[in-house]
Amino acid sequence: SYRCSRAVVERAQTWMPLLEPAPLAEQGEVIDDLPLAATLARLTHEDAILCRQTAPLVTVAYGMIARGRACRILGREIGDGLVNLIEQQKAKGIDRLVAKLAVFKEREMAKFIARGEETRAEGVADRVDCIMVVIDALAETERSVPSLIAKIRSLFEDDKKGIKQTMLTLCTQHKSKGKEWPTVAILRPDLNPSKAARLEWQ
């Protein structure tokens, strides 16, 4: 690995024994079980927080915004997918949207689980949970579907000129592939591996 420090590679060897650090790799360090507040205090705008699912990232983002710290969630297509899901419900008002999303989540998860596609069922739950986190964060004066969509679009950004220099990046593990940051924090490591994993390779 030419991306990871020796300490990170040593940890990764627990699962992938053939992985080796690059000859000139820095030592680096791995810190376990650091509380979120302490983690955020250590991270700069050049670093990233990764999570297997999107909903926990949205929760952290709103907590940071409330404390006046700028952040963005990498993945414009994730935001677009959430907006599409909202628009598909054709709901008039937030309360109706919440009810429709609950029915959608239950129906789609049951369908995928019946097919043995637990990973897709998990994805449905994550998308609906993300929308619910944003709804819960809406002020009383913002409780409309257009305001909800605007909030979601403002949260999810991909790399644009200038943004990298000013905002801490929050990112799903899938979206992080091929990217690198000086320091990376893993949010909710208990989500790894997926609860939907059934086979040894998964």
Side-chain angles (χ1 to χ4, degrees):
S1 170
Y2 284 88
R3 278 202 172 96
C4 298
S5 67
R6 291 182 178 276
V8 170
V9 171
E10 286 166 10
R11 176 60 60 88
Q13 286 171 334
T14 305
W15 302 281
M16 295 289 290
L18 295 178
L19 189 65
E20 293 182 5
L24 299 178
E26 295 178 19
Q27 178 54 39
E29 65 178 329
V30 174
I31 302 172
D32 291 305
D33 302 323
L34 199 62
L36 181 59
T39 300
L40 291 173
R42 291 176 65 106
L43 298 176
T44 74
H45 59 271
E46 296 181 333
D47 303 323
I49 298 175
L50 308 185
C51 184
R52 186 174 198 288
Q53 296 177 351
T54 310
L57 293 173
V58 175
T59 300
V60 169
Y62 270 105
M64 291 177 63
I65 291 166
R67 292 170 179 80
R69 184 164 181 186
C71 65
R72 50 88 184 249
I73 302 174
L74 198 64
R76 183 176 173 182
E77 76 283 356
I78 298 172
D80 289 344
L82 297 178
V83 169
N84 289 339
L85 177 54
I86 291 167
E87 292 174 340
Q88 286 167 11
Q89 306 311 306
K90 294 184 168 62
K92 294 181 179 178
I94 292 294
D95 292 338
R96 187 70 186 129
L97 176 63
V98 169
K100 286 191 163 203
L101 286 173
V103 171
F104 170 84
K105 179 179 176 179
E106 185 176 345
R107 182 186 69 232
E108 294 298 302
M109 287 187 69
K111 179 177 74 177
F112 288 128
I113 289 169
R115 291 181 191 167
E117 299 180 75
E118 287 86 356
T119 302
R120 294 185 71 181
E122 185 181 57
V124 168
D126 187 37
R127 286 193 297 152
V128 173
D129 291 347
C130 273
I131 295 169
M132 295 308 300
V133 169
V134 182
I135 288 173
D136 290 343
L138 290 174
E140 199 58 43
T141 56
E142 298 174 318
R143 286 184 66 81
S144 70
V145 174
S147 291
L148 172 64
I149 288 172
K151 287 281 186 182
I152 288 172
R153 290 203 189 282
S154 70
L155 266 182
F156 291 87
E157 295 281 358
D158 281 330
D159 291 324
K160 291 180 183 177
K161 190 175 181 182
I163 285 182
K164 257 186 163 177
Q165 284 72 44
T166 60
M167 295 188 181
L168 176 65
T169 298
L170 282 64
C171 184
T172 63
Q173 290 167 195
H174 178 75
K175 182 71 179 173
S176 74
K177 291 176 183 175
K179 297 177 175 60
E180 58 184 71
W181 296 273
T183 302
V184 174
I186 304 297
L187 178 67
R188 293 287 309 277
D190 58 293
L191 295 174
N192 296 301
S194 166
K195 300 296 181 277
R198 296 289 180 268
L199 304 176
E200 182 62 29
W201 69 267
Q202 294 172 323

